[in-house]
């Protein structure tokens, strides 16, 4: 089995003929952070997103069951999520596997690392591939309300 692609996006659409369209490829995100409250290192934005992988299968793998592993690491290297997805290989066809992730990690500046590999009953059968998403923080200062004028007597 050979890696073809690993991407992260906002949505995946599959038409009636099975053609797949990826919408909004995620390359980086900017989280708006207020200086008035400390942002926890494990802060997560309430949005869902997709991890999408394509593998080229070999003829000797036809009909065999595999497990696609998606792992997401925070910039500090700790694990945010790890998801196994089972699939069966079809002779010399591309295996397209994707999964929805609930929540987008924004608490740490740096690269989120999305890892992907395939296993069978005996262990890993592919190399680990990585996709990085740069998380940046933009400090936003809330507007200061106007001071009411005091009327003089």
């Amino acid at each position: 089995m050979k890696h073809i692609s690993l991407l992260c996006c906002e949505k995946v659409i599959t038409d009636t003929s099975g053609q797949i369209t990826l919408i909004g490829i995620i390359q980086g995100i900017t989280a708006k952070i207020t200086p008035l409250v400390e942002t926890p290192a494990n802060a997560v934005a309430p949005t869902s997103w997709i991890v999408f992988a394509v593998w080229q299968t070999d003829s000797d793998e036809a009909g065999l069951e595999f497990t696609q592993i998606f792992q997401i690491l925070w910039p500090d290297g700790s694990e945010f999520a790890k998801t196994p997805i089972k699939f069966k290989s079809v002779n010399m066809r591309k295996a397209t596997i994707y999964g929805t992730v609930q929540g987008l990690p924004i608490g740490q500046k740096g690269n989120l690392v999305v890892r992907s590999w395939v296993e069978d009953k005996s262990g890993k059968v592919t190399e680990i591939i990585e996709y990085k998403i740069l998380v940046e923080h933009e400090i936003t200062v809330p507007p200061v309300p106007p001071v009411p004028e005091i009327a003089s007597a």
Side-chain angles (χ1 to χ4, degrees), residues 64-127:
L64 299 178
E65 187 170 287
F66 295 94
T67 303
Q68 161 74 61
I69 307 293
F70 289 127
Q71 180 185 43
I72 303 165
L73 304 176
W74 289 92
D76 70 4
S78 61
E79 188 174 88
F80 171 70
K82 186 175 182 181
T83 304
I85 301 172
K86 293 189 179 297
F87 70 97
K88 274 195 175 183
S89 176
V90 178
N91 188 24
M92 299 301 290
R93 301 266 317 263
K94 290 181 180 69
T96 302
I97 300 105
Y98 55 94
T100 302
V101 181
Q102 298 299 327
L104 186 58
I106 60 167
Q108 300 173 23
K109 292 190 293 186
N111 283 311
L112 288 176
V113 178
V114 179
R115 290 182 173 167
S116 176
W117 66 91
V118 175
E119 298 179 349
D120 66 8
K121 292 180 264 187
S122 63
K124 286 181 188 155
V125 296
T126 67
E127 74 278 8

Side-chain angles (χ1 to χ4, degrees), residues 29-35 109 135-141:
I29 54 173
T30 301
K32 298 196 185 288
I33 305 296
T34 176
K109 292 190 293 186
V135 176
E136 297 179 294
H137 288 173
E138 179 182 311
I139 305 298
T140 59
V141 179

Side-chain angles (χ1 to χ4, degrees), residues 7 38 115:
L7 291 168
E38 184 175 338
R115 290 182 173 167

